[in-house]
Amino acid sequence: MAKSIILHGGAGSWKDSKIREKAYVVMEKCTRRAWEILNNTNNALEAVVEAVKCMEDSGYLNAGVGSVLDILGNRTLDAGIMTSNGLIGAVSAVKATRNPIVLARIVAEKTPHIIIGGDGADTLARLYGLPPLPPPPKHAVEGYYENLKKLLGGEISRDYWRKILAFIETNENYKKFVGSLANTSDTVGAVAVDDNGLLAAAVSTGGVILKLPGRIGDSPIPGAGFYSSKKVACSSTGFGEMIIRSMPCLKLAEYMDQGMNFEEALDKVITIVNETVGKDTMGFIAVDYMGRIGWRYNTKGMLIGYIDREGRVIVNHKP
């Protein structure tokens, strides 16, 4: 058995070179930091929480500080964690907490619940002294207005956002409010295994840009955005609705439990995803109990970071 960890910074096009360059720097830093934690503590949970917290703090990935804005210009954040020894916790619709992944761990370790959402989650964060969520960074606000104009101008052709536009068009008051305000679907996550055989998965997101207020995606839902069995840990990224419909992380664990080998299970999951919800919808990372890492995606790219056998930090967004 070998310690292993792999991070993702989201599936999507990654066509914006300026943001991509910043994200690469973030991913290298967070991968290195997570590997140090895994080596020093030999605790997979500590490593994945620190990895995701690092990405949440960056401001250049769609989680924590860098979370995208919804259709009304606000932010709601989701996160979840799970380990192979039964620890599980998640938060949804968080509005005022900088690090939802830390809050998800508090839910798992300090409460009898699995998911806490909305104001109750933010109240819990304040009770435990977690730092507040700062205002969105400039690039997130600029991206919001740019995409809002494209949406209202009919320039966005993808079916997901056309349905949101159709909803707006059928509600006159909603349409006026949105109109007066003026291709991102990434999430961050990490999975790890330590020398004690503990597998851990973590995920955090600001959701899909221009989502309707109150929308909750896959990240706080076990089996969809994250999952850990005794054989494999998984974290997903992409369009939450498609991930919830196909449950890739749960399927991966089931295939491994049935005796399927790691690579075959990864291939089968992405094949089923393509068949059930279509291509250009998601990606996922995984680590198994032997320390093998893997990933699959059906988008143009997925930002990942890991440590190779020579101990080097590898970051890329394409195979």
Side-chain angles (χ1 to χ4, degrees):
M1 185 178 297
K3 291 192 292 287
S4 293
I5 189 165
I6 179 171
L7 287 60
H8 74 70
S13 64
W14 288 103
K15 62 183 179 180
D16 188 327
S17 60
K18 291 182 179 179
I19 296 297
R20 188 173 68 225
E21 289 172 6
K22 300 281 189 181
Y24 264 57
V25 173
V26 168
M27 185 61 67
E28 181 177 359
K29 172 188 173 183
C30 295
T31 302
R32 193 179 306 278
R33 173 63 178 158
W35 181 244
E36 289 174 356
I37 293 294
L38 186 58
N39 269 327
N40 292 339
T41 68
N42 192 31
N43 187 308
L45 176 61
E46 295 287 349
V48 297
V49 169
E50 182 62 29
V52 171
K53 181 177 180 292
C54 178
M55 291 187 282
E56 288 176 337
D57 286 338
S58 72
Y60 287 101
L61 298 170
N62 181 19
V65 177
S67 294
V68 297
L69 282 62
D70 66 23
I71 193 72
L72 299 185
N74 299 311
R75 292 177 293 174
T76 51
L77 287 53
D78 305 328
I81 64 163
M82 187 173 182
T83 66
S84 55
N85 63 359
L87 191 70
I88 181 170
V91 292
S92 64
V94 172
K95 297 180 180 179
T97 303
R98 182 185 182 101
N99 297 115
I101 194 63
V102 177
L103 187 54
R105 184 175 184 177
I106 289 172
V107 172
E109 294 181 332
K110 306 295 185 181
T111 82
H113 306 308
I114 290 179
I115 304 174
I116 296 180
D119 292 340
D122 284 317
T123 297
L124 183 65
R126 288 192 293 271
L127 289 173
Y128 278 88
L130 300 191
L133 181 67
K138 181 181 177 182
H139 67 83
V141 177
E142 291 175 345
Y144 163 70
Y145 283 112
E146 179 184 346
N147 283 281
L148 183 61
K149 289 177 182 177
K150 288 181 180 179
L151 177 68
L152 297 178
E155 297 178 43
I156 297 179
S157 59
R158 187 168 188 130
D159 187 57
Y160 186 93
W161 283 289
R162 283 196 287 109
K163 289 179 180 178
I164 289 179
L165 180 60
F167 171 81
I168 295 170
E169 295 285 353
T170 60
N171 188 310
E172 193 61 31
N173 291 330
Y174 209 96
K175 181 180 178 181
K176 287 180 180 178
F177 188 77
V178 172
S180 70
L181 294 173
N183 191 350
T184 298
S185 59
D186 48 359
T187 297
V188 305
V191 292
V193 61
D194 59 36
D195 284 335
N196 296 318
L198 180 71
L199 287 145
V203 64
S204 181
T205 187
V208 179
I209 193 169
L210 303 183
K211 64 188 178 183
L212 297 179
R215 179 263 192 189
I216 294 173
D218 63 289
S219 292
I221 300 177
F226 66 104
Y227 198 77
S228 181
S229 68
K230 294 189 180 300
K231 289 191 174 182
V232 68
C234 170
S235 176
S236 298
T237 172
F239 286 95
E241 288 77 6
M242 308 304 180
I243 295 173
I244 294 169
R245 289 179 184 276
S246 57
M247 288 284 176
C249 286
L250 179 60
K251 282 187 171 63
L252 182 64
E254 290 176 340
Y255 295 148
M256 293 286 289
D257 285 342
Q258 292 167 10
M260 193 175 293
N261 71 57
F262 186 51
E263 290 294 327
E264 185 181 359
L266 293 172
D267 288 337
K268 184 164 184 177
V269 169
I270 199 65
T271 297
I272 289 178
V273 165
N274 291 339
E275 292 173 349
T276 56
V277 297
K279 296 183 178 180
D280 198 23
T281 52
M282 74 182 73
F284 60 91
I285 56 173
V287 62
D288 77 350
Y289 65 102
M290 297 290 289
R292 295 172 293 195
I293 61 171
W295 62 92
R296 295 291 187 275
Y297 58 89
N298 61 16
T299 55
K300 292 182 179 179
M302 183 170 75
L303 184 63
I304 60 168
Y306 63 93
I307 305 293
D308 70 8
R309 293 181 178 178
E310 285 71 45
R312 297 172 298 186
V313 176
I314 305 298
V315 175
N316 62 56
H317 73 285
K318 290 183 180 295

